[in-house]
Amino acid sequence: MGSVVTQIACGRQHTLAFVPSSGRIYSFGLGGNGQLGTGSTCNRKSPFTVKGNWVSYSDYTQRANNADGYYCVKEIFSGGDQSFAHYFHTQNCLPPDDFRKCTCSRQIWTINEEMIKRWLQFSSTRLPLDIINEIDKVFSSAACLNGSFLATSNVDHHRTSSKFSGIDMNVARLLFHKLINPAHPQIAQQVAASLEKKLIPKLTSSPPDIECLRLYLTLPECPLMTDANNFSSLAIPFGTAIVKLDKAPLKVLENWWSTLENPLFMRIVQLFKDVVLHLLKLTKIGIPITERRIFNAFINVALKVLEILHRVNEKAGQIIPYDKFYIQEIQDFIDIRNDYINWIQHQAFRMDVNHGLAEGSDVPVTICTYPFVFDAQAKTTLLQTDAVIQMQMAVDQAHRQNFSSLFLPVMESVDPCLILIVRRDNIVGDAMEVLRKTKNIDYKKPLKVIFVGEEAVDAGGVRKEFFLLIMRELLDPKYGMFRFYEESRLIWFSDQTFEDSDLFHLIGVICGLAIYNFTIVDLHFPLALYKKLLKKKPSLDDLKELMPDVGRSMQQLLDYSEDDIEDTLCLNFTITVENYGSTEVKELIPNGAETPVNNKNKQEFVDAYVDYIFNHSVASLFNAFSLGFHKVCGGKVLELFQPNELQAMVIGNTNYDWKDLEKNTEYKGEYWADHPTIKIFWNVFHELPLEKKKQFLLFLTGSDRIPILGMKSLKLVIQPTGGGDDFLPVAHTCFNLLDLPKYTDKETLKSKLIQAIDHYEGFSLV
């Protein structure tokens, strides 16, 4: 109301305010117990004058001997549903207090430069008792910590809210590191003791105010938290307090975490990753039976905090890359296959692995509950484990049915494998004919491929070639199923195809079968395909990958800062597409042709454009593809993958390390790494151009790309064979095995090797 207020006092749900210019006290809030001093018990939403003959200090002193019956306020107080005023009504009057002026002796202690400097001056001697008491009081009090490290460069901390903490995190980090260092062990010990025994145990699930959550941001910056010796006494109890927070305060903390800069957020993630790794290392030593309940509770707390942080990271558009949550060493300490089986059993019996965090649990820890800690290699192991289990279940079911058919004539006998008999010159038609009749359960069986007229037994190599040939045929432009983009060398679904959706369904099935049977295929789709398969939304970055020129134009539109977009660019919410020689205008939104693009809706236009390219225009085609893919390869394990990891699973990658290939190659018979023929072979191989090296991979393994696990997972084998210089090298694609004659000179070996890899297609024993 334009008056300067110098004192405020707050009760349970009411407030007093003192205005020195008039000497009046104002009150508002609940008044049911008469605490507002207005003469009634009504509530007040806005300030109202408290009854009394109040005068200002200047008026009171001017009245001198005529001041009887008037009151000059010295200080106001509130608490609970009560209100008080300390006032003068004699000539010996003192000015009222001004709460705006800091009286340090009346403030709570906070961690600051001056206090730390005073504590550190006793480094060479035993800490005095009064210093120990100060340290203990500060680090035992949530109020002291929550009042520390406030943003003092401006008044930011005055606007603390569910979106803003008011904390200067850099100040917190600097002061904590200045205080906790090896030169002052006594201080570190006292701080640790106060945190462990007094502060952390008192943290509640429902803090009384938003400001009480500040310490959840600042404590991870304390070096004591990251010391492995303090994990069980500090980091894990602190994590337990986070996990136990009620929904509302946890949401506030998540909001604050989401605004942290990359290094700050990463430090919290790294802290609890280190805790998990520390606990897993203890399993190598052995956990006594009596302590397993505590161990389970500890590791579940650490993983649960990481789960919350991962959720925050994903919602915030990845503050840190998702792979920063990976714990690469995890496979050194747990058997992922057994962990997955245990997880499946928990799912089947609806066990809650997170219950009993505080009191411990007999439920064994399953890391699969927290899949974001798995790297691509671990996830691949999970997928392979799942595939083997599914295949074995399908085979067992087939065997049971076959056994039953011996006694029950109505039961048909079935093959324990999914058999594809195809002709090379009609590979698509033959495959469609078989797969169209295939039941869903049969997709889970091991795949065996037979090429008509060829005697090779499929131990893996024939299957590899089948995937290579059928994908090459299906992606042939003669079908018109996909559009090829010259600039990116990528393909996408063609919305102008005349082909039936069955063919798209078939391609989805083939991709699923390839993953399911651990075979990589040659598929030049953008990352957007794998995002959509994992139900993630394609973005402008995906448009830039598929159509770089269009993507750049869209980015330029978003970056355009002038207000004349309508007049300069003359865009509306439409897209022009080619349709067999003619052009057609499609509306991106209802009435799009009449909706101009301007500064306010340009982001909406870009989003609609991306949505049209990747979703709307190809919805029926992609749905058929996705249905076929998930029919074979769907399930919980697939959901663990990130889009680029799934892409690498399907098509492999090109992270070639030819020296690593040589290093991991095994030799049989007379051959060894330093055999003259082997030395000539590698000398010739390393001199080959990249395309010929890739052709060699295709010749020997059935693919010119390498698995997601890298070169080390290829494991080539070279063995000697008779026949001399007149014979070609022979590849056993099923086993990545090369029969290499004992060539004696470099030119002969090079000539024969190139001749062999140039004519690799076809399997025959002749």
Side-chain angles (χ1 to χ4, degrees):
M1 296 182 289
S3 300
V4 174
V5 173
T6 58
Q7 297 184 30
I8 294 178
C10 300
R12 183 175 64 88
Q13 285 193 354
H14 76 284
T15 302
L16 300 184
F18 173 66
V19 176
S21 61
S22 64
R24 293 177 180 175
I25 303 173
Y26 293 85
S27 63
F28 56 95
L30 295 190
N33 289 322
Q35 63 264 45
L36 298 184
T38 59
S40 73
T41 56
C42 295
N43 301 335
R44 292 283 182 179
K45 290 184 178 180
S46 57
F48 195 81
T49 308
V50 174
K51 282 191 172 184
N53 291 329
W54 312 110
V55 293
S56 66
Y57 174 72
S58 59
D59 285 349
Y60 192 87
T61 54
Q62 288 174 7
R63 292 175 184 272
N65 298 326
N66 194 26
D68 289 345
Y70 294 92
Y71 308 105
C72 180
V73 173
K74 171 66 175 170
E75 188 172 358
I76 58 174
F77 305 88
S78 287
D81 290 333
Q82 307 296 324
S83 299
F84 305 88
H86 174 202
Y87 63 90
F88 290 96
H89 62 95
T90 63
Q91 293 183 16
N92 299 323
C93 177
L94 296 175
D97 293 345
D98 189 341
F99 289 2
R100 298 171 301 170
K101 296 178 181 178
C102 172
T103 306
C104 294
S105 61
R106 297 182 62 183
Q107 281 189 312
I108 61 169
W109 285 336
T110 58
I111 303 170
N112 53 52
E113 286 272 7
E114 183 181 343
M115 181 169 278
I116 289 176
K117 186 177 180 180
R118 188 155 55 82
W119 292 348
L120 295 181
Q121 67 181 332
F122 299 99
S123 58
S124 59
T125 59
R126 186 175 180 180
L127 289 176
L129 185 60
D130 60 330
I131 298 298
I132 292 176
N133 288 336
E134 274 189 22
I135 296 172
D136 181 52
K137 285 181 179 178
V138 170
F139 284 93
S140 300
S141 166
C144 291
L145 288 178
N146 288 322
S148 301
F149 321 120
L150 301 184
T152 55
S153 58
N154 49 47
V155 293
D156 279 353
H157 69 275
H158 291 311
R159 57 185 181 93
T160 298
S161 67
S162 61
K163 304 290 185 183
F164 187 81
S165 68
I167 291 289
D168 188 329
M169 293 297 293
N170 290 322
V171 169
R173 179 171 176 77
L174 288 172
L175 291 182
F176 269 132
H177 278 74
K178 183 175 288 188
L179 179 64
I180 308 297
N181 63 69
H184 306 88
Q186 287 184 325
I187 292 177
Q189 290 170 8
Q190 182 57 55
V191 170
S194 300
L195 291 175
E196 176 190 352
K197 297 175 182 177
K198 296 182 179 179
L199 177 74
I200 296 178
K202 291 190 296 185
L203 297 177
T204 66
S205 61
S206 181
D209 187 80
I210 286 177
E211 292 184 357
C212 299
L213 294 168
R214 286 173 173 162
L215 63 83
Y216 288 94
L217 278 187
T218 56
L219 273 185
E221 293 295 334
C222 179
L224 291 171
M225 299 290 285
T226 57
D227 185 342
N229 295 319
N230 297 325
F231 282 169
S232 60
S233 58
L234 295 180
I236 294 172
F238 178 67
T240 302
I242 293 175
V243 171
K244 284 186 170 182
L245 282 173
D246 290 346
K247 187 175 180 180
L250 181 59
K251 178 64 177 175
V252 173
L253 181 58
E254 289 180 10
N255 288 340
W256 289 357
W257 275 339
S258 70
T259 63
L260 291 179
E261 296 176 359
N262 178 305
L264 297 171
F265 188 79
M266 185 64 224
R267 277 196 285 273
I268 306 174
V269 172
Q270 192 61 53
L271 167 61
F272 287 97
K273 280 175 61 179
D274 291 342
V275 171
V276 171
L277 197 54
H278 172 76
L279 293 170
L280 289 177
K281 287 178 181 177
L282 295 179
T283 62
K284 285 290 185 181
I285 303 172
I287 306 295
I289 296 177
T290 54
E291 296 180 12
R292 283 181 187 169
R293 286 172 61 86
I294 297 175
F295 172 82
N296 288 340
F298 279 7
I299 197 166
N300 273 323
V301 161
L303 288 167
K304 189 67 179 176
V305 175
L306 283 175
E307 182 180 49
I308 297 169
L309 290 165
H310 182 263
R311 182 173 69 235
V312 170
N313 192 56
E314 291 300 301
K315 284 184 178 179
Q318 295 195 352
I319 307 165
I320 59 176
Y322 62 83
D323 57 3
K324 294 298 183 182
F325 284 87
Y326 292 169
I327 303 177
Q328 277 85 5
E329 306 91 337
I330 211 160
Q331 292 193 86
D332 298 335
F333 301 104
I334 67 166
D335 185 327
I336 288 185
R337 291 175 176 82
N338 286 340
D339 188 84
Y340 176 70
I341 293 170
N342 289 335
W343 179 64
I344 290 294
Q345 291 174 342
H346 293 166
Q347 297 290 309
F349 293 103
R350 298 179 179 276
M351 291 185 179
D352 181 5
V353 297
N354 294 322
H355 83 282
L357 288 174
E359 64 274 13
S361 169
D362 287 329
V363 178
V365 178
T366 54
I367 309 297
C368 286
T369 307
Y370 310 95
F372 50 83
V373 301
F374 289 131
D375 60 15
Q377 182 174 349
K379 291 175 185 175
T380 303
T381 302
L382 287 177
L383 191 64
Q384 291 173 345
T385 303
D386 180 69
V388 169
I389 292 172
Q390 297 271 11
M391 285 181 182
Q392 189 58 53
M393 290 170 62
V395 170
D396 289 346
Q397 183 172 334
H399 286 323
R400 285 195 299 271
Q401 186 170 335
N402 290 341
F403 181 76
S404 299
S405 69
L406 296 175
F407 306 99
L408 301 171
V410 294
M411 295 284 288
E412 294 182 6
S413 61
V414 294
D415 199 296
C417 294
L418 174 57
I419 307 294
L420 288 181
I421 303 175
V422 296
R423 292 164 291 176
R424 286 183 178 273
D425 58 358
N426 191 35
I427 191 169
V428 172
D430 291 345
M432 279 193 68
E433 187 66 25
V434 175
L435 294 175
R436 189 180 282 120
K437 299 175 182 177
T438 301
K439 299 176 182 177
N440 286 0
I441 185 64
D442 293 331
Y443 288 125
K444 304 297 185 181
K445 296 176 180 177
L447 177 65
K448 297 290 183 184
V449 177
I450 299 173
F451 282 107
V452 175
E454 298 180 22
E455 303 176 42
V457 176
D458 187 9
V462 180
R463 185 172 65 232
K464 288 179 185 178
E465 192 186 17
F466 163 76
F467 283 120
L468 180 74
L469 295 178
I470 194 169
M471 290 309 299
R472 182 188 300 170
E473 181 74 10
L474 285 168
L475 301 180
D476 193 293
K478 70 183 181 184
Y479 289 100
M481 298 171 63
F482 300 98
R483 179 179 173 183
F484 178 72
Y485 292 85
E486 186 68 40
E487 189 178 1
S488 63
R489 312 291 297 174
L490 296 172
I491 61 172
W492 190 244
F493 299 90
S494 173
D495 58 349
Q496 299 166 17
T497 183
F498 292 114
E499 294 296 338
D500 192 272
S501 61
D502 280 359
L503 272 180
F504 291 95
H505 183 270
L506 173 63
I507 297 177
V509 169
I510 295 298
C511 290
L513 285 172
I515 290 182
Y516 204 69
N517 289 272
F518 320 127
T519 307
I520 56 180
V521 293
D522 192 24
L523 200 62
H524 297 282
F525 275 109
L527 187 65
L529 175 78
Y530 305 96
K531 285 187 175 181
K532 284 170 66 65
L533 286 172
L534 295 171
K535 296 180 172 55
K536 294 180 183 287
K537 192 176 179 181
S539 66
L540 178 56
D541 288 336
D542 298 298
L543 187 66
K544 291 177 182 177
E545 182 190 15
L546 180 65
M547 306 162 64
D549 54 342
V550 177
R552 285 192 294 269
S553 298
M554 292 296 167
Q555 187 62 60
Q556 288 169 0
L557 171 62
L558 292 178
D559 295 340
Y560 192 81
S561 57
E562 303 297 328
D563 293 328
D564 59 350
I565 288 180
E566 286 187 55
D567 298 329
T568 304
L569 302 180
C570 300
L571 294 172
N572 53 27
F573 276 71
T574 61
I575 181 173
T576 302
V577 297
E578 291 186 12
N579 192 356
Y580 297 103
S582 62
T583 58
E584 187 178 351
V585 176
K586 302 274 191 180
E587 291 189 330
L588 298 176
I589 61 173
N591 201 31
E594 307 300 323
T595 307
V597 177
N598 53 45
N599 240 353
K600 292 182 179 179
N601 64 16
K602 61 184 180 181
Q603 183 66 59
E604 184 184 345
F605 170 73
V606 172
D607 293 342
Y609 197 103
V610 170
D611 181 66
Y612 180 85
I613 296 295
F614 290 114
N615 300 318
H616 182 71
S617 65
V618 296
S620 61
L621 309 180
F622 174 78
N623 289 341
F625 175 91
S626 179
L627 185 64
F629 181 86
H630 284 98
K631 188 177 288 185
V632 182
C633 209
K636 288 186 175 292
V637 179
L638 193 69
E639 296 170 6
L640 309 185
F641 284 79
Q642 292 289 335
N644 60 345
E645 294 171 337
L646 180 58
Q647 183 180 44
M649 278 292 299
V650 175
I651 66 173
N653 60 51
T654 55
N655 299 326
Y656 300 115
D657 186 339
W658 305 113
K659 289 293 184 183
D660 205 25
L661 180 68
E662 178 182 358
K663 178 183 175 183
N664 288 286
T665 297
E666 297 179 357
Y667 306 97
K668 288 187 174 182
E670 302 172 37
Y671 284 162
W672 76 97
D674 291 323
H675 188 280
T677 301
I678 296 299
K679 294 178 80 171
I680 294 173
F681 169 80
W682 286 114
N683 188 268
V684 167
F685 178 81
H686 289 305
E687 290 178 358
L688 292 175
L690 177 61
E691 286 306 312
K692 285 298 178 187
K693 288 177 180 174
K694 290 164 67 175
Q695 268 188 277
F696 173 77
L697 282 182
L698 186 61
F699 163 68
L700 188 58
T701 69
S703 172
D704 65 353
R705 298 174 70 90
I706 59 175
I708 191 174
L709 301 182
M711 283 286 198
K712 63 183 179 181
S713 64
L714 277 178
K715 284 293 181 189
L716 305 189
V717 180
I718 302 178
Q719 66 181 12
T721 184
D725 291 354
D726 294 332
F727 285 77
L728 295 173
V730 176
H732 301 271
T733 317
C734 315
F735 309 106
N736 296 346
L737 174 64
L738 178 67
D739 288 344
L740 185 66
K742 299 175 189 174
Y743 302 118
T744 54
D745 67 274
K746 182 176 179 180
E747 288 306 315
T748 301
L749 192 151
K750 182 176 181 179
S751 172
K752 296 297 183 181
L753 180 62
I754 291 176
Q755 188 180 348
I757 64 180
D758 282 343
H759 302 86
Y760 71 92
E761 277 188 24
F763 283 81
S764 177
L765 296 179
V766 179

